[in-house]
Each structure stands twice: as C-alpha cells, then as structure tokens.
Amino acid sequence: MKPFEQVLELDKVLAQSAEFASNETTRQMLLHCKPSTDLSEVRQEVQKTDDALQLALQFGTPPFTEFRNICNMVTRASSGARLSLKDLLDVADLLRQAQALYNWYGHCSESATSLDYLFSLIVPNDDLLATLERSIVSEEEIADSASPTLAEIRKKLLRSRSHLRETLDGMIKNKTMQKYLQENTVTLRDGRFVLPVKAEYRSQVSGLIHDTSSSGQTIFIEPMQIVEANNDIRLLESRELEEIDRIMKKLCSAVGAEAENLKRLHNTCAELNFYFAKANYGASLKAMKPVISDDGILELKKARHPLLDKNKAVPIDLVLGEQHNALIVTGPNTGGKTVALKTAGLLTAMTMCGFLIPVTDGSRISIFRHILADIGDSQSIEQNLSTFSSHTLNVVEILQTADDSTLILLDELGSGTDPVEGAALAISVIDYLKQAGAKLMVTTHYQELKLYAADTPDVINASCEFNTETLKPTYRLILGSPGKSNAFAISGQLGIPEVILKHAETLISEENKKFEHVIEKFEQARKDLEAEKEQAEQLRQEAEALKSEWEQKRNQILQEEKETIERAAAQASRIVESTKAQSNALLDELEQLRKEKEKADFASRVSSVKSASTQQLRAMYKTANPVIGSIDENGEYVLPRPLKKGDKVLIADLQQEAVISSEVNENSETVFVQMGIMKMKIQISRLRLLDTSKTNQKNQKKKKMHQVSAKVERKGSMELDIRGYSCDEGVYEVEQFISSAMLANIGTVTIIHGKGTGLLRNAVQQKLKSMKCVKEYRNGVYGEGENGVTVVTLK
C-alpha cells in the first residue's frame, strides 16, 4: 500500500510551501517535513507557525535572503583549513542575514510569542562582518582596505606600472623605434612588459628576449631601459601575494574561531525562515489555526482542498468522531466524493506537520497515530492484480493496522466485484473497523451501504450534492443525507440515447425505485429547509443591523443630552458666581454707607447707590434670564402670549434653544419640543419665548453679509466663523454659506468652528458629507487653524 503522504498528495503541499523558502536548507526542511503523532509537539509547531503569521501581518515578513549552508566550511576553518574568497563571502551573507533579522525583531512589539527563543539566539557579529566586508571585493579580489600594508604595496605597484608605461609609450612614439616594431603596442610575457620587435631588427633593440611568435616573425624583447623597473614590479607583486596570503590566513582564522556561533546562527536563521515560509504559505491559502486535540474528533468548517484553486474550490463542512465514527459518502461520479476524502485526510496530515489549514473558526483536528488511505485505482499489471484484488490487499493491511487512534479513508469500498457480495463485504469491513475504534470515511454507490448508514446509530450518510436542473454537481457535501448516483441523468447528458435510458429504468427493481424516490423527497425537503434557513438568517442579520443602528442613535442622543446638561450646569455655575460677586460688592458698599451715615452728603449718596443697585439687579436678572417676556408682581416670568407650534423658545434651566414641535393645549402644563435631534416632553414653566423677529432679522443680516462677502471675494477663498453656535445653528449657517459660495462661483471656502469638544466640527462635517455640491473637505493644517477649521472644495 502506498504511503498516505503520497496518496493524499502531502508531498505536493510540501513542494508548494518550499517555494516560500529563501535558502536551500529551509527548502529541504520543508520538503522532508513529516507528520508528528505527539499532541504537544503538534500544538507547539502550529503555534509557532501561527505566531509567525501574526508577526508578518503586523510588522511585515522579516527580510530573508538567500544564504548557503556554511556549517561544513566553518568547521574546516576551525581545523586550520584554508577557505576561498567565495566561502568567506558566504559567511558574510549569513552574518548580514542575522543582522537583518536582529534589526527587524527589534522593531516588533514586546508581546511574547513562541518564536522569541529563536530570535534570542541571533547575536550579530558586527566585527567579523565589518572585517569581511572591508577585506573582500569579490570572489577573485581582496580589497585594498584589507590591510594598510596591502594598500601601500598596491599604491607603489600602480605608480611603478604607470611610470613604466610612460617609458614604453615614449619608446613606441619614437620614429626610429617604430620601424623596428611589428605593431605599436605593449604586451606582457611572463609578467613582464615587452615590445613586439620584427625579427630582422632584433639586433637594433638591446634587451632581453622573452618569447617568439609562432611564425618567427616577431620577437618579444624587454628593453634594457625597463628591466630594472620590471624587476621592481615583480618584487612588489610578490610582496602583494604574500600580504594577501597573510590576510586570508587571518580571515580564515577569525571565521574558524567563530565556527560554533556561525553554525548556530545558520541553523537559527534557517529555522526562522522555516516557520515564516509555512506562515506565508498559509496566508496564500487564507488558512488559520484549528483547535487541536487527540480525542478522535474531526470537525471541518468551510474546508478547502489546498491544491485546488482557492477561488474555485467549493468549501465543505464535515464532522466525524463526535457522534458518528463512520461517514458513508455517496453521490454521482465526478461529484467530489474523493476530493472530500482527500480534504479530510490532507488537512489532518498538514496539521500534524505544523501547518495552518484552509478552514474557518471553530474547526477541530485530531491527531492520529495512523492515517490509512486506499484511494484511486490500484490495478497492477506487473503483479497480475485486478482492481478488486489490489484494493483488497490494501484493506487487509488496513485491518491489520487499525486501532482506536486511526483515521481510515476508503474510496469505493467493495467495488470491482459482484455488487451484492461487494456491499456485504464493505458493511462487514466497516463494522470490524468500528469495533477497533477507528474513525473512517467511505465513498460508495451501493444502496445497501446507504440503508446501513441510515439504520446504524454511529454511522451517518453524507452526499455530494447534484443539481438536477443543470445536471451538474455542486461539489457541496451534505451531512445526514444519502445521495443518488444520478447515472441516468449523467449518461443522458453525455449522449446515451433516451430509448436505452428508458429501457434501463424498467430493469430497476421496484424496491430500488421506491428507495430512490424516498431519497428524492428527502433531498427536496432538505433544500426547502436550507432556503428557509437562509431567509431566516438574512432576516436575523437585518434585525441585528437595525438593532445596532438604533443603539448607535440612542447612545448618540444620550451623549448629546449629557453634554447639554454639562454645558447648562457650567453656565448656571458661572451665573451664580457672577451674581454672588456682584451681591458681595453691594454688601460691601452698604457697609461703607453705614459707616458714613453721619456725613452731610449721606442722603444723596444713598440715593445714587440705590439707583446703581437697581441697575445692577436688572443687569443680573438680564444675565440670568435673557429672554423676552414680562415679570409679574411676585417676580416670576410670564409668557407674553400662549405658545404655539413652531415657536422658538429657551429652556431656562438648561440654557438651550428649542422649537415647539406639537400643538399646545390651553390647559396643558407640558409640551413637546425639538432640541437638535432630541425630541422631549417638558413643562411649559421651564420655557421662555424668544423674540423670533429679532432672530429673523439677525439671520437676514447674516445672510446678507454672506452674500456681500461672496460677491466681494469672488476671486479668492471665503471664511465663515460659527464659533459659539449650537450644532443646529452652525449647520444652518453652513448650508446658507455654501449656497452663497456656489452662486458666487467660489471654488474653496473655509469654515471656522473652533476645536472645543468637537461636536460642532462633527456636525458640520457630517452635513458636508451629504451635500452633493461638496467635492471634498479636510481639516486645516498647521497655519490654517488645524482641527479648528474645515477647508471645503466645491464642485
């Protein structure tokens, strides 16, 4: 029997996840990841992957780069072996990777995760990295900055070669020398600069012969004038090689001294990349962490097969092991039965490998000691095995291995032989596996297994839904409902003549027809219930939305009421304090008068003080009660006329303006008023009638001012100052102001509302949002008034 990893295509999942790795070590770790049967280990591994995903979502994926496995080379360096420049560059790459991870983690929040211990193992080696970066240019070249001695030698070499070339250039430009030369160029032989001299003129050029061309026509001569210079260059080159050799030994020694730390850094970086690669793969699948246990319960919600296109795969719901130990899946061919089996097994195996899986909240995965799967056609010509024989051999192996911690997936159990005997054998196998405590999923077309599932308490039917109208499967898995094979419908769609189908229907036994009819009625009832459930869910969501909206409005009203009361209390406190201060001043003046009553001008001063006191009392009353009305003999307020609907009034104890919103009964002591968005019932005695004529004049005056302002500032921006206004007044003024601006063809206006509590600003901006003539608006920036103003761009 094939390993379940191969049958369930876990190897393909691992190959996909390996594409998210940045280095070869991590890729191999992912490709060779094996499912664990230890519950604690699985939980830890899944938690690490989930923590990596949360860190990546919050702070971005760490900057992983390609780095080689340097463990063997640094071990050789610790034994005194010589490394190449490429090896040293690989070490530098690893050190840069460690530095990048260290810096990235330093910017993360301090919340604890299961990956903290790995990040704590990353200790950057800045000194070694700086030395390698300073010393090596490429795989073939040591940098001048590797040592002062090397820099000095190369500087001398550069000067010597430059001087030598100048000498040779002078010789080449000499007209006499030019006729001796084969070509006017300088070349190298054995590391020494030479001239290509024609063979017939070799006696004319004194120097050392280093080489001859293959044709014998050219002799490469080192002129005597530059022999000494060439000797100096060779000596400097020798010293350069010696210094490079010394530097390489020093670098290899430094790397060897840090061998253990470097190996730990490599393993830590690779392991971190392992978890973040799994996390990024999970993110690509829209996967999440399930609840993990070892109780044998498998519950998948909106599960998708990870190898199918996530935009096309139909999610399935599946429960196994809680009330039912066996699931019998039926339905048409190509309807998704095998995919459902593979999805359950593959997601379980992925979880046991520490992966996140494509499911939704509430999904549960159980850890099993064995996952045994017999899926697909196992016919073997080489072993002379039929399909039935090969399946039977696999079942035999499953029967020998199964225990109470085994998940078994059987595709088309009992097929390939006589249907009656195959169905009986399948039922017997299922019973045996149930008694062993195994959890199993079985696909079948046998009617006997559908009846068996319906009659057996811990076995449940499931079906892959088939749309009889379109004659196509929907790939949905329906628990609790047996499915029809729909062989006639599918065959008709594929081109089988109708006469053959009708004849085939006559050959079906009456009992089978009745059973199929029962299944059809059951399926129709299920669809009707699902439609009603969907409608009920939609109504529930609408009710929830209305409830949320109502609660939001109620909270807003309560907040505004609270703020109104607070403002009224503050204003009342200010009035009391002002009145108290003025009363104290009057008492002080009376006391002063008492002391001076013997003076001659006492009477006249008393008279003037009485007059001043009367004026002050009237001013205090005006401050405390700034409304239009009259005062009766007892000093109480009297309405100048009966109130009527639409009157603008002042709620005296709250110092808030309102409008009468209902008809006023002569004998009634209460009336309904509208204050902003609040409508309340209030006693008439608390109301003061406002002079609406003055208010109208004031509004007309403001409107007129706005119109004039719009005309005057037609070419510039406009400003409206509504500081101190109530929300309703401010919004009204803004509407009028913007209308004037539109008529004046103004493009940008500024509304000054002040900062304060923010209520006036919010009311104005909420109104602007609903005005069609407003293109956009924003808060002011520094220099414009910041949050105290709103700048509006008009269409």
Side-chain angles (χ1 to χ4, degrees), residues 8 21 35 293 313 319 420 435 476 488 514 567 597 601 644 660 773:
L8 299 176
S293 65
V319 179
V420 176
Q435 291 176 6
R476 291 179 58 207
F488 292 164
K514 289 181 179 179
R567 287 197 302 270
K597 65 181 179 179
D601 59 346
K644 59 182 180 180
I660 304 297
C773 60

Side-chain angles (χ1 to χ4, degrees), residues 579-597:
T579 305
K580 181 179 178 181
Q582 295 182 38
S583 298
N584 288 336
L586 287 174
L587 290 175
D588 291 341
E589 195 159 348
L590 289 172
E591 178 64 21
Q592 185 67 27
L593 286 174
R594 186 186 62 78
K595 294 179 180 179
E596 298 179 0
K597 65 181 179 179

Side-chain angles (χ1 to χ4, degrees), residues 492-778:
Q493 187 184 27
L494 295 176
I496 298 294
E498 186 176 354
V499 62
I500 295 178
L501 297 177
K502 287 185 177 180
H503 179 62
E505 289 178 358
T506 63
L507 301 178
I508 300 177
S509 67
E510 193 63 30
E511 291 183 358
N512 283 336
K513 288 182 179 179
K514 289 181 179 179
F515 183 72
E516 292 291 332
H517 183 62
V518 169
I519 291 179
E520 285 182 2
K521 291 178 65 178
F522 184 84
E523 182 67 13
Q524 186 59 45
R526 181 192 62 76
K527 290 181 178 179
D528 293 342
L529 286 173
E530 281 193 353
E532 292 178 4
K533 180 181 178 182
E534 184 177 351
Q535 185 178 5
E537 177 63 21
Q538 184 177 357
L539 292 174
R540 185 190 67 78
Q541 292 178 356
E542 291 177 358
E544 288 288 338
L546 290 174
K547 179 182 176 183
S548 176
E549 183 180 357
W550 176 83
E551 288 181 348
Q552 185 178 1
K553 288 184 177 179
R554 183 195 65 178
N555 293 336
Q556 184 179 356
I557 291 172
L558 291 175
Q559 180 65 24
E560 289 187 0
E561 182 179 1
K562 179 181 177 182
E563 292 174 355
T564 300
I565 293 173
E566 288 177 353
R567 287 197 302 270
Q571 187 172 358
S573 177
R574 289 194 298 271
I575 293 173
V576 169
E577 290 298 325
S578 175
T579 305
K580 181 179 178 181
Q582 295 182 38
S583 298
N584 288 336
L586 287 174
L587 290 175
D588 291 341
E589 195 159 348
L590 289 172
E591 178 64 21
Q592 185 67 27
L593 286 174
R594 186 186 62 78
K595 294 179 180 179
E596 298 179 0
K597 65 181 179 179
E598 301 299 331
K599 295 183 179 181
D601 59 346
F602 176 73
S604 63
R605 295 187 65 182
V606 167
S607 176
S608 63
V609 169
K610 283 184 177 180
S611 176
S613 299
T614 301
Q615 292 178 1
Q616 287 182 357
L617 286 172
R618 288 176 179 173
M620 285 190 288
Y621 180 79
K622 186 176 181 181
T623 301
N625 190 23
V627 294
I628 305 302
S630 60
I631 306 298
D632 64 9
E633 295 178 355
N634 298 323
E636 295 182 355
Y637 175 82
V638 178
L639 286 167
R641 62 171 174 78
L643 298 174
K644 59 182 180 180
K645 185 176 181 180
D647 282 344
K648 195 169 184 180
V649 296
L650 180 75
I651 303 174
D653 50 351
L654 297 181
Q655 287 297 303
Q656 289 292 314
E657 294 183 4
V659 177
I660 304 297
S661 62
S662 64
E663 299 293 339
V664 184
N665 194 335
E666 291 184 5
N667 300 324
S668 177
E669 296 181 355
T670 59
V671 67
F672 283 97
V673 299
Q674 184 79 32
M675 184 173 65
I677 64 171
M678 292 190 297
K679 187 174 183 181
M680 61 176 69
K681 189 175 183 182
I682 195 167
Q683 291 183 347
I684 295 178
S685 61
R686 297 171 59 190
L687 302 179
R688 307 289 186 265
L689 180 64
L690 295 178
D691 188 350
T692 55
S693 62
K694 291 184 178 180
T695 304
N696 291 335
Q697 291 175 6
K698 181 180 178 182
N699 290 339
Q700 291 173 4
K701 186 177 181 182
K702 287 184 178 179
K703 293 177 184 177
K704 186 175 181 181
M705 287 173 60
H706 295 161
Q707 293 170 358
V708 172
S709 176
K711 292 177 181 178
V712 172
E713 297 183 14
R714 181 182 299 271
K715 295 182 180 179
S717 63
M718 295 180 60
E719 290 184 353
L720 171 65
D721 191 344
I722 56 173
R723 288 176 291 186
Y725 281 54
S726 67
C727 291
D728 290 339
E729 289 176 335
V731 169
Y732 175 81
E733 294 296 329
V734 168
E735 287 180 309
Q736 300 301 315
F737 176 66
I738 289 182
S739 297
S740 301
M742 289 293 293
L743 291 174
N745 198 25
I746 298 297
T748 303
V749 297
T750 301
I751 301 170
I752 305 172
H753 43 63
K755 297 181 180 179
T757 61
L759 288 175
L760 183 56
R761 179 181 69 246
N762 293 339
V764 168
Q765 292 185 352
Q766 192 67 29
K767 183 62 182 176
L768 292 173
K769 190 182 296 183
S770 63
M771 296 180 72
K772 295 182 179 179
C773 60
V774 174
K775 182 178 181 181
E776 60 181 10
Y777 64 88
R778 61 175 175 81

Side-chain angles (χ1 to χ4, degrees), residues 413-454:
L413 179 61
S415 63
T417 187
D418 179 76
V420 176
E421 293 181 355
L425 181 61
I427 292 173
S428 180
V429 168
I430 294 171
D431 280 337
Y432 180 89
L433 293 173
K434 283 200 303 154
Q435 291 176 6
K439 308 299 183 292
L440 64 155
M441 290 180 62
V442 179
T443 66
T444 186
H445 287 284
Y446 291 152
Q447 301 280 27
E448 291 83 355
L449 264 69
K450 301 176 187 178
L451 291 171
Y452 167 77

Side-chain angles (χ1 to χ4, degrees), residues 334-390:
T334 71
K337 300 189 300 298
T338 304
V339 171
L341 250 65
K342 287 188 173 183
T343 301
L346 182 55
L347 296 190
T348 301
M350 286 176 64
T351 303
M352 294 168 67
C353 287
F355 283 89
L356 305 178
I357 57 176
V359 293
T360 58
D361 286 335
S363 296
R364 300 170 62 184
I365 293 289
S366 177
I367 303 305
F368 295 96
R369 279 195 298 271
H370 308 289
I371 299 178
L372 306 175
D374 178 34
I375 299 175
D377 190 356
S378 303
Q379 185 178 29
S380 174
I381 298 176
E382 292 83 358
Q383 299 180 19
N384 195 25
L385 293 176
S386 66
T387 300
F388 177 75
S389 299
S390 59

